Amino acid sequence: AQKVTQAQTEISVVEKEDVTLDCVYETRDTTYYLFWYKQPPSGELVFLIRRNSFDEQNEISGRYSWNFQKSTSSFNFTITASQVVDSAVYFCALTPSSLNTNAGKSTFGDGTTLTVKP
Amino acid sequence: KAGVTQTPRYLIKTRGQQVTLSCSPISGHRSVSWYQQTPGQGLQFLFEYFSETQRNKGNFPGRFSGRQFSNSRSEMNVSTLELGDSALYLCASSLADSTYEQYFGPGTRLTVT
């Protein structure tokens, strides 16, 4: 069975602060994909990043950065210089690769609600 | 490019009835996944369809079913509705399969009374 844990239920920061959202996962599959999605108040989930289990290279995209550490089964997400528009629920997700019997069976964490105050 | 569309957006049904929800994926996308989102259980995977075949199914009772048509449009059906089926049902499409990034629709809000 696979599991995605986002221990932080809610985080509140003041604009321009840096914030890190934690994601820890459990899986027996050796190949899988990890994702982060954002769900703004408008409701639609928006894709942010995808990482496969072979690629531990961390990535920076503008104010966003991701830290994938397979040794600790973590895939954390950092927003630098947060803005009010970053306020949303952020979901971490895991999807087994097509090499696995449960391929495509995505598991989402419970989400972290981020509030950025002006 | 048009996004994922779901119809209807809101639905109110009575216990025991059945309901069919529709999802039109982004043009060119072959995979459609369905999720149930509730405050208590979060986002839970229902099933994924790829090229008209159910690729995988989540831990939901047999009352939940789905299908995908040759144009990749998908429907999900819930029979014998229960109060606990009240939820936001989200559809997501991806280019090849759900190991690629998924693009979500706005959802169908189902209320069972």
Side-chain angles (χ1 to χ4, degrees):
Chain A
Q2 57 195 37
K3 186 177 179 182
V4 176
T5 301
Q6 295 179 252
Q8 304 149 310
T9 306
E10 295 182 16
I11 300 177
S12 181
V13 299
V14 177
E15 207 169 20
K16 296 184 183 176
E17 284 185 18
D18 298 347
V19 57
T20 295
L21 308 183
D22 297 332
C23 173
V24 174
Y25 62 91
E26 297 173 29
T27 181
R28 294 177 184 170
D29 297 319
T30 55
T31 58
Y32 48 89
Y33 293 84
L34 295 165
F35 300 85
W36 276 96
Y37 289 89
K38 172 183 178 180
Q39 188 173 35
S42 62
E44 289 192 35
L45 277 94
V46 175
F47 164 79
L48 294 175
I49 191 171
R50 166 182 181 256
R51 265 282 173 273
N52 74 53
S53 51
F54 292 105
D55 182 6
E56 288 194 67
Q57 184 175 2
N58 295 320
E59 180 171 334
I60 298 174
S61 176
R63 297 186 296 109
Y64 297 165
S65 62
W66 292 270
N67 185 341
F68 174 32
Q69 293 193 338
K70 203 168 180 180
S71 60
T72 56
S73 298
S74 66
F75 185 44
N76 298 335
F77 170 42
T78 297
I79 303 174
T80 303
S82 60
Q83 299 175 1
V84 173
V85 293
D86 294 328
S87 297
V89 181
Y90 290 83
F91 291 93
C92 180
L94 181 150
T95 303
S97 78
S98 54
L99 299 175
N100 300 287
T101 54
N102 58 344
K105 196 170 178 180
S106 300
T107 299
F108 280 71
D110 289 338
T112 297
T113 300
L114 173 65
T115 302
V116 181
K117 299 177 182 176
Chain B
K1 214 176 204 183
V4 177
T5 57
Q6 292 187 244
T7 56
R9 292 292 311 277
Y10 302 91
L11 207 48
I12 299 176
K13 289 286 188 178
T14 305
R15 267 183 307 174
Q17 288 186 314
Q18 76 161 19
V19 67
T20 299
L21 311 181
S22 181
C23 170
S24 292
I26 291 173
S27 177
H29 283 194
R30 298 171 63 191
S31 165
V32 172
S33 296
W34 287 90
Y35 297 88
Q36 181 194 67
Q37 187 175 28
T38 60
Q41 299 296 319
L43 264 164
Q44 292 191 286
F45 172 78
L46 279 157
F47 24 66
E48 182 199 5
Y49 285 88
F50 178 68
S51 294
E52 301 179 66
T53 302
Q54 187 179 88
R55 190 164 174 240
N56 221 315
K57 185 173 164 59
N59 299 324
F60 280 82
R63 301 184 296 107
F64 291 81
S65 62
R67 58 178 176 168
Q68 186 181 33
F69 302 95
S70 58
N71 62 357
S72 293
R73 191 178 70 85
S74 177
E75 289 181 348
M76 68 162 279
N77 184 277
V78 188
S79 62
T80 320
L81 284 166
E82 300 177 359
L83 294 178
D85 296 334
S86 294
L88 180 67
Y89 290 88
L90 295 169
C91 165
S93 76
S94 54
L95 189 60
D97 59 46
S98 59
T99 60
Y100 287 73
E101 55 265 35
Q102 297 185 67
Y103 294 84
F104 284 79
T108 294
R109 173 74 63 185
L110 171 66
T111 302
V112 182
T113 61

